[in-house]
Amino acid sequence: MSTVLRGRVAVVTGAARGVGERLARKLSARGARLALVGLEPDELRRVAGSLGTEAAHWHADVTDAEAMERVAGEVRDRFGRVDVVVSNAGVAAGGPLEGCDFDVWRRVVEVNLVGSAATGRAFLPDLVASRGYLLQIASLAAILPAPLMSAYCASKSGVEAYAHTLRAEVGHRGVGVGVGYLSWTDTDMVRGTDEVGLMREMRQRLPWPVNRTYPLGPAVERLVVGIERRSAHVYAQGWLRGTQPVRGLLPGLLALGARREMRHFGDRLAALGGRGLVGAGGAADEKARAQR
């Protein structure tokens, strides 16, 4: 196993579950010390306490720039440095734009895009000091925008562009920036989406390999290897790499197929309009906002 990360300090947002939790475990197994950030203090405490290397956790909303500045300062005080930041925190919602709860739509963009930028901005001085690396978690949704996921696709397209821009801004200062792409991966978010029968049915009608749910472990292992290599692009499923050369064609092809699918599901789509954020992570976000 590589020793590149031994003794390094890695910050992972959205670390209470799913990709974030598994990343924390795999980074710790490679010797990294962990700073975990998220909205679920009990779950973060559980994860931090179960790691084999030094770890601590911070309760913070990534969309709160002042809170993230505070966290960055406290992480610096605790560990003395930051070498890796994984901007992973994210939420999702499904349904047509027409008739949607726009507060939910806006929240997806706030967490996924604004929260990512707030995270990067807060920890950038530390990454400059250590000549470190930031991995921004994006999605297949940045490459292949799908119907009923306008907020999620827009936010993931946004974080992809943000990360590419940041790489160009700070590369000369020794900071590496990468974008991580995942297809449907077995997390609470994906399982929460599948609990909505219509969303599950529509996804099953997608062509292979997009319609598959992929295991979490191998996907996160690819992300960790990307972190070790300071890769500009990291693909959690190998076939995603092949979408890049043809990505300009994909939205048009998808739109053609979507016409048939939208007609097929017709009036059933209206039932999706009032739903909130999906999965346990979405529920945690809504609970945290309600308690303010």
Side-chain angles (χ1 to χ4, degrees):
M1 184 175 291
S2 171
T3 61
V4 170
L5 296 172
R6 184 171 296 168
R8 303 294 186 181
V9 177
V11 178
V12 180
T13 67
R17 60 183 69 252
V19 170
E21 177 183 357
R22 188 64 63 92
L23 265 170
R25 296 192 183 283
K26 286 184 176 290
L27 292 171
S28 176
R30 281 162 163 79
R33 297 177 287 162
L34 273 299
L36 311 180
V37 184
L39 289 176
E40 300 175 81
D42 292 341
E43 291 300 310
L44 292 169
R45 186 179 299 109
R46 174 187 60 81
V47 176
S50 66
L51 299 180
T53 53
E54 183 183 3
H57 68 279
W58 279 263
H59 176 252
D61 184 335
V62 294
T63 69
D64 185 336
E66 291 185 4
M68 293 306 293
E69 294 279 357
R70 171 184 57 78
V71 169
E74 292 178 3
V75 171
R76 188 182 311 119
D77 292 342
R78 169 66 183 267
F79 292 99
R81 60 185 294 140
V82 172
D83 301 283
V84 174
V85 173
V86 183
S87 186
N88 165 73
V91 294
L97 180 65
E98 183 180 11
C100 74
D101 182 334
F102 200 67
D103 287 338
V104 173
W105 198 100
R106 189 195 309 272
R107 182 62 181 173
V108 173
V109 175
E110 287 176 347
V111 174
N112 297 358
L113 176 53
V114 178
S116 293
T119 299
R121 181 175 178 272
F123 285 99
L124 193 55
D126 299 283
L127 294 176
V128 170
S130 67
R131 300 177 71 85
Y133 175 78
L134 182 146
L135 178 63
Q136 174 61 57
I137 300 299
S139 170
L140 171 62
I143 299 171
L144 184 64
L148 308 184
M149 297 177 61
S150 61
Y152 190 76
C153 293
S155 66
K156 289 303 185 178
S157 295
V159 297
E160 180 190 44
Y162 144 73
H164 289 328
T165 301
L166 184 61
R167 183 189 308 122
E169 290 180 356
V170 299
H172 71 288
R173 303 172 75 182
V175 179
V177 179
V179 182
Y181 300 90
L182 296 91
S183 185
W184 299 89
T185 303
D186 188 18
T187 62
D188 288 325
M189 180 186 292
V190 170
R191 288 191 293 271
T193 302
D194 281 348
E195 288 174 1
V196 183
L198 180 55
M199 295 290 291
R200 181 178 65 252
E201 186 179 345
M202 293 189 72
R203 186 160 77 88
Q204 290 172 342
R205 290 167 61 89
L206 293 172
W208 183 89
V210 182
N211 61 355
R212 281 194 58 196
T213 297
Y214 294 86
L216 181 61
V220 173
E221 182 66 26
R222 285 176 173 267
L223 297 180
V224 173
V225 172
I227 292 170
E228 292 175 327
R229 295 175 177 174
R230 296 169 61 94
S231 300
H233 302 87
V234 187
Y235 301 97
Q237 290 81 29
W239 61 267
L240 286 169
R241 185 185 302 274
T243 65
Q244 291 285 20
V246 296
R247 63 183 296 173
L249 302 174
L250 296 177
L253 293 173
L254 181 68
L256 289 174
R259 292 182 182 181
R260 181 187 65 249
E261 294 299 297
M262 295 300 102
R263 292 192 187 101
H264 175 79
F265 289 101
D267 294 340
R268 295 175 62 192
L269 298 173
L272 298 175
R275 293 185 176 272
L277 301 175
V278 300
D285 185 271
E286 291 178 343
K287 178 180 178 182
R289 286 183 290 134
Q291 291 176 341
R292 291 178 189 168

